Amino acid sequence: MRDMQHARGFTLIELMVAVFITAILFALGYAALNQAFQNREQLRAQQQRLTSLQRAMRVLSQDLTQAVPRPVRDRVAGADEEAFKADPRTTTLLSLTRGGVPQLEGTPRAALQRIEYHFERDTLWRWVWPTLDGVQANTPSRRRLLTPLRAARFRYMDASGQWLDQWPATGVPPGARWRIRPIAVEITLETDDFGTLVKLVEIPG
């Protein structure tokens, strides 16, 4: 009888040990599974972020390569405004007239658009004006192109190969400045996750 009780007690201890080991294994497995899910979510977020960066660069490149020498009328002062204009001292990073806009059949849509890029806080915005020669009543459609960003900058290469932070250059004669465009634009986007991204876009003549 004593041997049977001793065997029964020993089996119970073994069961408790087995349950304890199983609990540890389950805890380790849960931690590993949870880490795998976190890694997958981080990878998905990085992929989405990379897709957003690529999309923003693609939109910028398309606008720049479609830039046309068509000046516009200023919306406030009513004066002429250059076809391609950039001044880092203002809130507008870049203004340009873009061609190549597809027209849908039966839709009164212009083949040219006035595009502006603005950098506000940590966001790069793309503005599209409904008319080229706008009036103060016009309101652009605003698209959040990319966020968050530390900085967004452009540089412009002139015909002599010199890089400029402003376009047109201050020495360009008034008769030429309205339609002149750079031959290339350097896009720089500073991010916290992917560092500094630089792309060079050639402007067709």
Side-chain angles (χ1 to χ4, degrees), residues 29-48:
Y30 175 80
L33 186 61
N34 185 51
Q35 185 63 43
F37 279 126
Q38 290 181 356
N39 292 340
R40 187 179 67 176
E41 291 301 319
Q42 291 177 357
L43 180 60
R44 181 182 301 173
Q46 290 178 349
Q47 290 175 338
Q48 292 177 346

Side-chain angles (χ1 to χ4, degrees), residues 59-72:
V59 172
L60 282 162
S61 300
Q62 289 174 348
D63 284 343
L64 291 169
T65 55
Q66 295 288 341
V68 296
R70 203 290 199 177
V72 298

Side-chain angles (χ1 to χ4, degrees), residues 1-97:
M1 179 66 69
R2 291 180 180 178
D3 293 339
M4 293 179 61
Q5 292 177 351
H6 178 73
R8 188 178 299 111
F10 185 77
T11 303
L12 180 60
I13 293 176
E14 287 183 334
L15 180 61
M16 293 177 63
V17 171
V19 170
F20 179 72
I21 294 175
T22 302
I24 294 177
L25 292 177
F26 270 121
L28 293 175
Y30 175 80
L33 186 61
N34 185 51
Q35 185 63 43
F37 279 126
Q38 290 181 356
N39 292 340
R40 187 179 67 176
E41 291 301 319
Q42 291 177 357
L43 180 60
R44 181 182 301 173
Q46 290 178 349
Q47 290 175 338
Q48 292 177 346
R49 174 65 168 170
L50 182 58
T51 299
S52 298
L53 289 167
Q54 292 173 336
R55 184 186 303 115
M57 282 294 193
R58 183 170 62 252
V59 172
L60 282 162
S61 300
Q62 289 174 348
D63 284 343
L64 291 169
T65 55
Q66 295 288 341
V68 296
R70 203 290 199 177
V72 298
R73 296 289 291 177
D74 183 83
R75 299 170 187 82
V76 178
D80 287 333
E81 185 175 309
E82 294 87 344
F84 198 107
K85 179 181 178 181
D87 190 343
R89 298 171 298 181
T90 66
T91 57
T92 304
L93 289 178
L94 173 63
S95 301
L96 60 91
T97 303

